[in-house]
Amino acid sequence: MDTILHYTDEYFFDIVYAKIWPSHTLVSNVTGAVVSSWPREDFWRINCSVFAITCFFGWALYLITASLSYYFVFDHDYMKHPKFLKNQVRMEIECALSAIPWMTLMTLPLFTGEVLGKSMLYGGVPKTLYDWIYLALSLPSFLFFTDCGIYWFHRWMHHPKVYKYLHKLHHKWVIPTPFASHAFNPMDGFIQSFPYHIYAYMIPMHKYLYLGSFVFVNFWTVMIHDGEFISHSSVINTSAHHFIHHVYFNYNYGQYFTLWDILGNSHRQPGEEQYDKAIRDDHKVMARQAHEANTIEGKLAKPKTL
């Protein structure tokens, strides 16, 4: 984030802030132009800038990747499913766009901490063989750690006493489109993203690899909602696995892999109902799925009494 902030300051925020809060005594040594009285290193300027950057790129990344997936990958026959809502795509987009600023606000202290050097992110080019090996192992370490964290947070949010307050909104989209990928209750989205952010404060990771991983995470979140079940993997948590999660609720909480679901006895491997298009488009199959989804969600929405 510090590198992104540096270049956005250089080519955008310095100009904007100079127009809003101009200094009456300071000018640029390079251009002679008036500069802002709000210096780059000011804590509140950093927060405002990081918030704006994260919101803008969050919206842009979401809209671009989800649109491409929706128009070129998503199986539109699923829109005939009885659990597909009227105006669902518009509602998913509205939900996501309104949630992203709130999720950004909640993660802002962690982003700002990265800029201020409080995290364990590092820069520079690896110099030794050990540095290169560590760099190569950082990505699987990041995926393993975050997958574990998301699994347990996600499973916790399916507890009947928690579900309706945090996670129910995302399961409004029983038959999700790629636009459902970021359509969360903001607190739900923050909790599930927390393992990504806290990793940078616990384990050293190269800042560019971390930035690339963060972009990949957003791509992956869209991909597991794309409704096109190409991969038949039993190791990777594919879009077919995540479709089962949305329809049957109590399975496949993981983000990338099936490991934690297998260990937690919550794994359900997709079958012909997902992989055979003739079966998954059958109206009787869709009706059965709708009935089971209604039954399961009804149980989840009623907290158990002690």
Side-chain angles (χ1 to χ4, degrees):
M1 183 59 75
D2 60 332
T3 303
I4 295 175
L5 181 60
H6 170 77
Y7 284 108
T8 51
D9 271 337
E10 188 78 18
Y11 296 105
F12 180 73
F13 286 122
D14 284 349
I15 299 170
V16 171
Y17 292 139
K19 291 183 180 296
I20 300 174
W21 292 287
S23 171
H24 298 290
T25 58
L26 298 175
V27 295
S28 170
N29 292 329
V30 178
T31 64
V34 174
V35 299
S36 175
S37 60
W38 209 11
R40 288 186 182 184
E41 63 273 13
D42 182 89
F43 177 78
W44 295 110
R45 169 170 165 168
I46 291 171
N47 276 271
C48 287
S49 300
V50 169
F51 179 83
I53 292 167
T54 308
C55 273
F56 175 78
F57 283 104
W59 282 327
L61 190 61
Y62 163 71
L63 289 171
I64 292 170
T65 55
S67 295
L68 290 172
S69 181
Y70 176 76
Y71 287 109
F72 297 106
V73 181
F74 177 65
D75 184 353
H76 286 73
D77 286 335
Y78 261 131
M79 298 172 78
K80 302 172 185 176
H81 198 286
K83 293 297 290 182
F84 195 86
L85 305 175
K86 182 180 179 180
N87 299 320
Q88 179 174 314
V89 172
R90 177 178 60 80
M91 290 191 291
E92 289 172 338
I93 295 172
E94 289 176 352
C95 179
L97 294 181
S98 63
I100 286 172
W102 291 106
M103 290 189 283
T104 299
L105 188 63
M106 285 183 271
T107 56
L108 189 58
L110 295 164
F111 280 134
T112 300
E114 293 172 17
V115 173
L116 297 176
K118 304 300 183 182
S119 73
M120 299 188 74
L121 297 176
Y122 65 91
V125 179
K127 296 179 180 179
T128 67
L129 178 60
Y130 171 81
D131 292 340
W132 283 106
I133 293 174
Y134 186 86
L135 183 69
L137 293 177
S138 292
L139 184 57
S141 171
F142 174 83
L143 295 177
F144 181 82
F145 177 92
T146 55
D147 195 46
C148 176
I150 292 169
Y151 173 83
W152 289 110
F153 278 135
H154 192 178
R155 185 162 185 169
W156 170 72
M157 285 192 287
H158 273 255
H159 189 281
K161 290 187 176 181
V162 178
Y163 173 75
K164 72 175 183 178
Y165 299 106
L166 288 178
H167 199 51
K168 184 177 180 179
L169 176 58
H170 188 62
H171 276 277
K172 179 179 181 177
W173 332 114
V174 177
I175 307 300
T177 77
F179 291 110
S181 58
H182 293 67
F184 288 101
N185 175 314
M187 181 58 73
D188 177 1
F190 168 70
I191 290 171
Q192 292 204 59
S193 71
F194 188 69
Y196 305 132
H197 301 291
I198 201 64
Y199 183 90
Y201 287 84
M202 296 177 64
I203 302 172
M205 187 173 187
H206 196 285
K207 62 182 181 180
Y208 291 130
L209 182 60
Y210 180 73
L211 179 61
S213 299
F214 197 77
V215 173
F216 167 77
V217 164
N218 282 274
F219 275 111
W220 186 266
T221 304
V222 171
M223 287 167 59
I224 59 175
H225 292 87
D226 65 19
E228 187 60 49
F229 311 137
I230 299 172
S231 173
H232 292 206
S233 176
S234 60
V235 176
I236 305 297
N237 184 60
T238 66
S239 56
H241 287 84
H242 200 65
F243 177 83
I244 287 175
H245 175 73
H246 272 263
V247 173
Y248 299 114
F249 293 90
N250 298 318
Y251 304 95
N252 302 343
Y253 300 106
Q255 183 78 349
Y256 310 115
F257 309 110
T258 59
L259 172 64
W260 297 106
D261 281 297
I262 292 171
L263 295 176
N265 198 32
S266 56
H267 176 248
R268 179 166 171 170
Q269 182 65 21
E272 294 306 307
E273 182 182 303
Q274 286 74 47
Y275 296 134
D276 189 318
K277 183 166 174 56
I279 295 175
R280 72 174 187 244
D281 288 347
D282 185 273
H283 290 287
K284 291 182 180 180
V285 172
M286 290 184 177
R288 177 180 55 77
Q289 290 173 342
H291 174 73
E292 291 192 38
N294 290 335
T295 301
I296 298 168
E297 186 175 19
K299 293 178 180 177
L300 280 170
K302 295 179 181 177
K304 297 178 181 177
T305 57
L306 298 176

